[in-house]
Amino acid sequence: MTLPISDLYESRYEREAAIVVRREPVVHQDESFNAPRPLSPELLQEYLQNGFLLLPGLFSQKEIAALNGEVESLASEPNIRKRQECIIEPESNAVRSIFMVHKLNRMMEQLSCDRRLVDIARQVLASDVYLHQTRVNLKPGFEGKEFYWHSDFETWHIEDGMPEMRAISFSILLTDNTVFNGPLMVISGSHQYFISCIGETPEENFRQSLQRQQFGVPDHDSLKMLCTLGGIRSMTGPPGTVVMFDCNIMHGSYGNISPYPRHNIFFVYNSVHNALHDPRYGLQPRPEHIAARDSISPIKPIMCDFSEGLSFDDPKIQRIRRA
Amino acid sequence: MTLPISDLYESRYEREAAIVVRREPVVHQDESFNAPRPLSPELLQEYLQNGFLLLPGLFSQKEIAALNGEVESLASEPNIRKRQECIIEPESNAVRSIFMVHKLNRMMEQLSCDRRLVDIARQVLASDVYLHQTRVNLKPGFEGKEFYWHSDFETWHIEDGMPEMRAISFSILLTDNTVFNGPLMVISGSHQYFISCIGETPEENFRQSLQRQQFGVPDHDSLKMLCTLGGIRSMTGPPGTVVMFDCNIMHGSYGNISPYPRHNIFFVYNSVHNALHDPRYGLQPRPEHIAARDSISPIKPIMCDFSEGLSFDDPKIQRIRRA
């Protein structure tokens, strides 16, 4: 299935950069979809307006210690380093990201079904959801590299064929995120605009774009406009804070020369009504661990508590996810 | 004249990294030196303890507008770009720094004699002072590069033969410096320790070290210790703020992907009792525009007001400086 030929969110085409006002709602509505509504109307309104929410203390310090331990052992496992899901820093040879962690690690799998995240995703997207992408990000101290401004939706739309803006991302902070260690920066309100980028996308762009972005790069004038309208905000907070943000918000981060690493777990939930089409421009689909096409059955939210390590030992969890 | 063979501040030698407690005072004393004392005892105490002071509003917005205009016209002048005093960003071809600005521009020359700076330098160093180095730094929006942690004194001691820690730096902020545009970061209290760096220094190191630091790089363990002891501080403030800091404080900055450029004027005053010896290890002296050896006569402080552009038009200024 391909996207319609006339595409509102055209990008990387041989034309000038353009700014397009978003078509879809930010907070979706469906009267027939009944589900818990964990976010208050005030928080929902704030999310609608700014495109992000900071939720401090969503996970306890004990839970973070358990999750952190799991992430660190994953990153130091030689078998993991060899896998294609593992992205290595070009210069320092350190692990930068591990994709599809919910299939590589049992605790990450449980976490990806945690009510605290999934219920919010379902409320905002007004539908059942599935995992479009998961990963852990390890920004080391002293040598963490910057990541230039980009909209995830721009990439997912062009390279993965995601039809609409009906996805939401969660970043669970595992270490202190301060202005010193290269925190996520977002441009508040930028989720309301689609910045069409100039230039084309080469085949297999993802192999290097996960290390350094070169295509799908927004132009200076559009970025200036977005910053003037909404301002930049740093997503700082102690471990256990969760940052949730719209799939189309413009974000980036500067390098980390501080001694303090910046680790987080990153989950993207997509509406089941927004499953991927073919990529644009005849590009080959990216691998499953970067953009899910096969594992797209709805997630059943579960209650979790990671204070003592694994939340529970339920063999049904696999079946629930694949139900 | 060479430095003594047994040097407390040895560095870049074939030995392990080491931490040496500073020998010299931070706030110098000389009963026989009479001069104005613009800093209160409280501020002086703060400077002694932290190694830096933030002085907001030392220059008015009108003055900053005039200074900014001068800097921008300097940076866009083709004749300046060709000079060795001008450092170009390796990737973007943008002007990053212009050295010895007090000899390239009349307003910068006046500014370098401004009481507001020179009186403080004389008070802290308890002696007459001269300009060891001057420059303007232009960190552009979107593509400003990071600068890794370093102590200026480490470089000046090894590469320029500066004998003692008796110099002080002033950064005059010409644009808003925020946590978003790669502000100067200092490690509070780190001026009390000399971090001896491993490795040697190649000849003509300055040609690339002004673009990217590779030698005189402090080790991770020492940096961690300094951060634990004193913490990192961002030198943020509106235009007109002056940051003064000790020659030995550990500092650095991350890249600037924000649309907002970060411009400042940077003056280093050295005590006349601390004039340069030969560099260490038989290195050739760096050029005059990077480390003054010839123009080292004491500065006579003058009253300035740049609200209307040039402060005054006194032909004697040249003579005063060379008196």
Side-chain angles (χ1 to χ4, degrees):
Chain A
M1 186 158 53
T2 55
L3 289 167
I5 287 173
S6 158
D7 180 8
L8 181 66
Y9 302 134
E10 197 92 74
S11 189
R12 312 191 200 179
Y13 205 69
E14 287 178 46
R15 71 172 194 195
E16 291 300 302
I19 299 174
V20 177
V21 176
R22 175 193 187 116
R23 174 185 46 199
E24 300 86 347
V26 178
V27 175
H28 294 257
Q29 308 281 349
D30 183 348
E31 297 294 316
S32 68
F33 181 72
N34 286 314
R37 304 182 63 77
L39 292 182
S40 68
E42 293 73 27
L43 281 177
L44 217 51
Q45 179 59 31
E46 197 183 320
Y47 178 75
L48 192 161
Q49 194 165 330
N50 301 335
F52 69 93
L53 276 180
L54 266 169
L55 305 170
L58 202 60
F59 291 85
S60 73
Q61 295 313 300
K62 267 189 141 179
E63 289 185 287
I64 292 299
L67 293 166
N68 232 334
E70 213 69 6
V71 165
E72 276 169 18
S73 69
L74 256 176
S76 61
E77 222 175 274
N79 284 334
I80 296 287
R81 284 183 67 96
K82 278 185 234 149
R83 296 183 68 104
Q84 58 172 352
E85 288 90 346
C86 191
I87 310 296
I88 308 284
E89 288 266 6
E91 284 163 40
S92 70
N93 214 24
V95 172
R96 176 177 185 142
S97 300
I98 306 170
F99 280 77
M100 211 162 75
V101 275
H102 69 296
K103 293 197 178 172
L104 295 175
N105 179 278
R106 187 102 173 78
M107 203 188 290
M108 296 301 134
E109 183 179 28
Q110 289 187 353
L111 181 65
S112 71
C113 304
D114 193 314
R115 288 215 96 99
R116 287 170 283 187
L117 308 173
V118 181
D119 278 353
I120 294 177
R122 286 160 53 93
Q123 178 183 9
V124 170
L125 304 180
S127 77
D128 281 328
V129 298
Y130 71 93
L131 285 164
H132 170 67
Q133 185 187 93
T134 70
R135 62 178 197 257
V136 300
N137 294 311
L138 302 162
K139 199 163 193 165
F142 301 114
E143 54 193 24
K145 293 289 174 293
E146 81 178 28
F147 223 88
Y148 196 67
W149 301 112
H150 63 286
S151 148
D152 288 335
F153 178 77
E154 196 272 348
T155 304
W156 299 339
H157 186 64
I158 300 298
E159 299 193 25
D160 300 330
M162 183 182 281
E164 300 208 317
M165 296 181 185
R166 198 170 177 179
I168 185 171
S169 299
F170 291 85
S171 175
I172 301 155
L173 310 191
L174 296 180
T175 57
D176 247 323
N177 278 229
T178 72
V179 295
F180 302 121
N181 63 355
L184 178 72
M185 295 188 291
V186 304
I187 306 181
S188 188
S190 62
H191 62 308
Q192 297 287 10
Y193 305 92
F194 180 81
I195 307 301
S196 175
C197 305
I198 52 175
E200 288 175 79
T201 305
E203 275 297 343
E204 306 228 316
N205 173 43
F206 67 89
R207 290 197 190 279
Q208 66 78 31
S209 77
L210 300 174
Q211 293 177 333
R212 193 160 297 168
Q213 192 86 359
Q214 285 181 358
F215 302 92
V217 175
D219 64 295
H220 289 187
D221 288 341
S222 299
L223 287 171
K224 266 185 205 158
M225 187 212 72
L226 294 177
C227 285
T228 305
L229 285 175
I232 304 174
R233 289 279 305 274
S234 284
M235 300 294 100
T236 55
T241 301
V242 169
V243 186
M244 52 178 274
F245 54 101
D246 182 84
C247 59
N248 186 48
I249 202 166
M250 195 62 78
H251 60 288
S253 64
Y254 44 79
N256 177 16
I257 67 168
S258 90
Y260 311 113
R262 193 174 72 84
H263 297 173
N264 61 61
I265 300 168
F266 184 71
F267 291 152
V268 184
Y269 297 95
N270 191 23
S271 165
V272 292
H273 307 309
N274 196 35
L276 303 186
H277 289 201
D278 292 337
R280 300 295 328 245
Y281 313 129
L283 289 170
Q284 287 304 304
R286 301 199 294 176
E288 182 76 10
H289 67 275
I290 297 178
R293 289 179 184 275
D294 300 333
S295 307
I296 60 170
S297 46
I299 296 170
K300 188 171 184 300
I302 56 175
M303 288 278 278
C304 294
D305 180 351
F306 302 102
S307 305
E308 308 298 335
L310 268 184
S311 183
F312 54 81
D313 196 14
D314 181 354
K316 286 198 299 290
I317 190 169
Q318 293 293 334
R319 279 195 284 122
I320 293 167
R321 294 280 315 291
R322 285 172 189 146
Chain B
M1 186 159 53
T2 53
L3 290 167
I5 288 175
S6 157
D7 179 8
L8 181 65
Y9 302 134
E10 197 92 74
S11 189
R12 311 190 200 181
Y13 205 67
E14 287 177 47
R15 70 171 193 194
E16 291 300 300
I19 299 174
V20 177
V21 176
R22 176 193 185 117
R23 175 183 47 201
E24 300 86 346
V26 178
V27 175
H28 294 257
Q29 307 282 349
D30 182 347
E31 296 293 315
S32 68
F33 180 72
N34 287 314
R37 304 183 63 77
L39 292 183
S40 68
E42 293 72 28
L43 282 177
L44 217 51
Q45 180 59 30
E46 197 183 322
Y47 178 76
L48 192 161
Q49 194 165 330
N50 301 334
F52 69 91
L53 277 179
L54 266 169
L55 305 170
L58 203 61
F59 291 85
S60 73
Q61 295 314 303
K62 267 189 142 178
E63 290 185 286
I64 292 299
L67 292 167
N68 233 334
E70 212 71 6
V71 165
E72 276 169 16
S73 70
L74 256 176
S76 60
E77 222 175 274
N79 284 335
I80 296 285
R81 284 182 67 95
K82 277 184 235 150
R83 296 183 66 106
Q84 57 172 353
E85 289 90 346
C86 192
I87 310 297
I88 308 283
E89 288 266 5
E91 284 163 38
S92 69
N93 215 24
V95 172
R96 175 176 187 144
S97 300
I98 306 170
F99 280 77
M100 210 161 78
V101 274
H102 69 296
K103 292 198 177 172
L104 296 175
N105 179 276
R106 189 102 173 78
M107 202 188 291
M108 297 300 134
E109 182 177 28
Q110 289 186 355
L111 181 65
S112 71
C113 305
D114 193 313
R115 287 217 97 99
R116 286 170 284 188
L117 307 174
V118 181
D119 278 354
I120 294 178
R122 286 159 53 93
Q123 178 184 9
V124 170
L125 305 179
S127 77
D128 281 329
V129 298
Y130 71 93
L131 286 163
H132 169 67
Q133 185 188 92
T134 70
R135 63 176 196 258
V136 299
N137 294 310
L138 303 162
K139 198 162 193 165
F142 301 112
E143 55 193 22
K145 292 289 172 294
E146 80 177 29
F147 222 89
Y148 195 69
W149 300 111
H150 63 286
S151 147
D152 288 334
F153 177 77
E154 195 273 349
T155 305
W156 299 339
H157 186 65
I158 301 297
E159 297 193 26
D160 299 330
M162 182 182 281
E164 299 207 318
M165 297 181 186
R166 198 171 177 178
I168 185 171
S169 299
F170 291 85
S171 174
I172 301 155
L173 310 191
L174 297 179
T175 57
D176 248 323
N177 278 228
T178 72
V179 293
F180 302 120
N181 63 355
L184 179 71
M185 294 188 291
V186 304
I187 306 181
S188 188
S190 61
H191 61 308
Q192 298 286 9
Y193 304 92
F194 179 81
I195 307 300
S196 176
C197 305
I198 52 174
E200 289 176 79
T201 307
E203 276 297 343
E204 304 226 319
N205 174 41
F206 67 90
R207 291 198 190 281
Q208 66 76 30
S209 77
L210 300 174
Q211 292 176 333
R212 193 159 297 170
Q213 192 87 358
Q214 283 182 358
F215 303 92
V217 175
D219 64 295
H220 289 187
D221 287 340
S222 299
L223 287 171
K224 265 185 206 159
M225 187 213 72
L226 295 177
C227 286
T228 304
L229 285 175
I232 304 175
R233 288 279 306 271
S234 283
M235 301 292 101
T236 55
T241 301
V242 169
V243 186
M244 53 178 273
F245 54 101
D246 182 84
C247 60
N248 186 48
I249 201 166
M250 195 61 77
H251 61 288
S253 63
Y254 44 80
N256 177 16
I257 66 169
S258 89
Y260 311 114
R262 193 175 71 85
H263 297 172
N264 61 60
I265 300 169
F266 183 71
F267 291 153
V268 183
Y269 299 95
N270 191 22
S271 165
V272 293
H273 307 308
N274 197 35
L276 303 186
H277 290 201
D278 293 337
R280 299 297 324 251
Y281 312 128
L283 288 169
Q284 287 303 304
R286 299 198 296 177
E288 183 75 11
H289 68 274
I290 296 178
R293 289 178 183 276
D294 300 333
S295 307
I296 60 168
S297 46
I299 296 170
K300 189 170 186 293
I302 56 175
M303 290 278 278
C304 294
D305 180 350
F306 301 102
S307 305
E308 309 297 335
L310 267 184
S311 181
F312 54 79
D313 195 14
D314 180 355
K316 287 198 299 291
I317 190 170
Q318 292 295 335
R319 279 195 286 123
I320 293 168
R321 295 278 316 290
R322 285 171 190 147

